[in-house]
Amino acid sequence: MSDDGIAIAVTFLAGRYHGAEWPPSPARLYQALVAGVMTGGYRMLFPEVEPALRWLEHQDPPTVLVSRSRRSAPYRIAVPNNDMDRAGIEWAAGRESNPAQFRTLKTIAGQVVGGEGPHVIYQWRAKPEEITTWTHLLRRATHCLHTFGWGVDMAFADVLSDAGRFPGDRYLPSEQGSVDLNVPIEGTLDDLRATYRRFLVRTSGKGVDTHTRPSMIDTRRYGTERERQIPVVLFRLLDKDAEETKSVAWAHCMKVAGWVRHEAGRALEQLRWSPDEIASYIQGHTGESGKSRRVSYVPLPNISGPYPDGRIRRVMIVEPATEFGKAVRALERVLSGRILTDGAGEPTACLVAASAARDFIFEQYVRSGQGAQTWRSVTPVVLHGFNVQRRGVIDINKTEKLLLRAFEMAGHPPSTIERLAFQAGPMWRGTG
């Protein structure tokens, strides 16, 4: 319990979490609570805590507080491939076959959290009478929790009497956030119980019923307070047939930005945005309005991870920090699946909306930068004016003024910049 609601805190015993998303979603906590109270002798508590679990279903998505973490070094293990067809064919032909030999390599990289905990806190707003009614029952449910994430992620939970000052990141529901998290909704508890019953009878003489996952779960976008100030939408690049990943050399980053900018203008024109707003704010022309703020189109080269080749396979669209995300919300809705064209009108690539969750490269640009104080360019900076003297020598003062002006157009006034440095050579391996 906290001053403004009810808070459930989770601590990882081994300091590691292997779930697909970070931070762990409210729906994952809900599922872990249900799994805990339905395990072994804890089942006798279910009738007692069921009303509290149903109360959680009807609440607005909670605020999620997470301690600072880092992604562990990835490693690979061999797991069963579940390919019994191959074994069955061999057996039907009278030949020996060992299903245990059919294995697939799986890459694992969990989150490592520090300190004694708690490591994750979920806060729901509640009225004083609700706090009095449900705190005891929810505490009974949390004391049944045994794992959170994978089966190896041993954890315990409790209802806090006071969340206090939490040294970590605070995630709130936000349309401008960069993280999609599942949340429970009305009917989730019944759906989880039905899913478990289907799982128990998934195999029969007719085959295997693979429909053993819950469906009564909603998805909400979350972001930190810092993220909420910078509206952004992420896309992957596919080839023009939308079948394979599109890979573009770093040297063509300006072309990629041009492809996306052109299609963004066309898409918003169909949504009947004003021509002046499209020309100035979306496509970057000053226009009659004289508006200096504008949307940025940012190609994202692979600069880290297992394939740091500097090639572009992803792109994001960013609105100035001073705006409210109107453009990116519209572009996320209408650009996904659209074909990009070059200056001659020839198809070049297809855009597909994406999320930073479970994507290592996107994380380097979006999630891993939370709270960062130092930033580096990963593609050549294209200035919007001349920065050389008559003899072709770079003018330091002109370059600095142009860079500060570019930051200001992107919504970052000079007062927010402590210092900057620039050079002609690349700052990252694999880029130019």
Side-chain angles (χ1 to χ4, degrees):
M1 180 178 68
S2 64
D3 294 338
D4 56 353
I6 293 177
I8 296 179
V10 180
T11 300
F12 297 103
L13 294 178
R16 291 176 180 268
Y17 168 81
H18 293 87
E21 79 288 348
W22 184 260
S25 70
R28 186 179 291 272
L29 172 69
Y30 192 85
Q31 289 174 272
L33 292 175
V34 174
V37 79
M38 295 297 289
T39 299
Y42 291 140
R43 285 175 175 267
M44 66 179 65
L45 297 177
F46 180 75
E48 180 183 354
V49 303
E50 180 181 1
L53 293 174
R54 294 195 182 279
W55 177 80
L56 282 182
E57 286 183 337
H58 293 81
Q59 304 312 301
D60 292 333
T63 297
V64 183
L65 289 73
V66 291
S67 61
R68 297 300 171 90
S69 67
R70 61 178 176 83
R71 185 175 288 274
S72 66
Y75 60 94
R76 306 184 79 184
I77 62 174
V79 298
N81 198 29
N82 294 330
D83 191 359
M84 289 298 295
D85 289 348
R86 294 168 59 187
I89 292 173
E90 295 298 315
W91 291 337
R95 295 188 292 268
E96 293 290 332
S97 180
N98 183 5
Q101 295 177 348
F102 305 146
R103 294 183 175 273
T104 299
L105 289 176
K106 182 176 183 179
T107 301
I108 298 175
Q111 293 289 141
V112 179
V113 294
E116 297 180 354
H119 299 121
V120 190
I121 299 177
Y122 301 83
Q123 291 183 321
W124 287 268
R125 292 185 178 182
K127 299 176 182 178
E129 59 270 21
E130 292 176 320
I131 295 175
T132 302
T133 301
W134 304 118
T135 296
H136 172 68
L137 294 178
L138 286 175
R139 179 170 283 120
R140 296 274 281 175
T142 59
H143 289 178
C144 298
L145 185 141
H146 45 76
T147 52
F148 190 48
W150 286 7
V152 297
D153 297 326
M154 303 295 291
F156 67 88
D158 200 0
V159 177
L160 293 185
S161 58
D162 182 12
R165 293 180 59 86
F166 187 77
D169 292 319
R170 183 184 181 90
Y171 285 82
L172 303 95
S174 168
E175 292 184 355
Q176 291 80 44
S178 63
V179 181
D180 291 328
L181 297 180
N182 292 334
V183 297
I185 58 176
E186 183 179 357
T188 297
L189 179 58
D190 292 333
D191 184 49
L192 290 175
R193 299 186 69 186
T195 300
Y196 181 66
R197 288 193 294 269
R198 291 196 304 271
F199 177 80
L200 292 178
V201 295
R202 67 190 184 280
T203 58
S204 65
K206 297 181 180 179
V208 179
D209 179 10
T210 59
H211 180 54
T212 56
R213 292 186 178 277
S215 57
M216 293 295 292
I217 291 176
D218 196 7
T219 300
R220 295 293 180 88
R221 180 156 290 189
Y222 274 72
T224 64
E225 293 176 333
R226 290 184 297 275
E227 282 183 312
R228 292 198 301 167
Q229 299 173 0
I230 305 178
V232 59
V233 60
L234 308 173
F235 292 98
R236 290 179 178 274
L237 290 174
L238 301 182
D239 60 24
K240 59 184 179 181
D241 297 321
E243 295 180 352
E244 302 290 340
T245 298
K246 176 78 172 181
S247 173
V248 183
W250 66 265
H252 298 312
C253 62
M254 193 162 61
K255 290 184 179 181
V256 175
W259 299 344
V260 180
R261 183 183 69 172
H262 175 70
E263 195 61 32
R266 290 185 57 194
L268 295 181
E269 189 178 56
Q270 294 173 3
L271 293 181
R272 301 193 177 184
W273 280 43
S274 70
D276 184 59
E277 190 170 19
I278 291 175
S280 60
Y281 187 56
I282 302 301
Q283 296 186 330
H285 308 303
T286 301
E288 296 180 359
S289 66
K291 188 175 182 179
S292 61
R293 294 188 302 276
R294 61 193 62 182
V295 171
S296 300
Y297 304 90
V298 188
L300 305 179
N302 286 25
I303 58 169
S304 188
Y307 306 107
D309 55 9
R311 296 185 68 84
I312 299 167
R313 300 172 179 88
R314 300 164 180 81
V315 64
M316 66 181 175
I317 302 176
V318 186
E319 281 195 75
T322 53
E323 301 299 322
F324 300 99
K326 175 184 176 182
V328 297
R329 288 198 301 271
L331 292 173
E332 181 178 29
R333 187 174 69 253
V334 300
L335 277 187
S336 186
R338 294 182 72 113
I339 302 299
L340 306 181
T341 56
D342 59 18
E346 294 296 324
T348 59
C350 176
L351 280 183
V352 177
S355 169
R358 302 183 68 179
D359 190 300
F360 179 83
I361 299 300
F362 276 136
E363 284 183 345
Q364 308 312 302
Y365 292 97
V366 181
R367 294 175 61 186
S368 299
Q370 296 168 14
Q373 299 296 315
T374 303
W375 302 83
R376 300 185 195 177
S377 171
V378 297
T379 57
V381 177
V382 181
L383 299 174
H384 59 283
F386 294 102
N387 68 325
V388 297
Q389 300 174 352
R390 292 183 178 180
R391 297 182 180 180
V393 180
I394 292 178
D395 187 307
I396 302 299
N397 292 328
K398 284 184 178 180
T399 303
E400 183 173 345
K401 289 180 180 179
L402 289 171
L403 287 171
L404 290 174
R405 180 61 175 154
F407 278 114
E408 188 173 12
M409 288 181 174
H412 304 283
S415 60
T416 65
I417 301 173
E418 181 177 341
R419 59 184 178 272
L420 60 83
F422 49 89
Q423 63 188 45
M427 293 185 174
W428 293 92
R429 180 172 63 89
T431 62

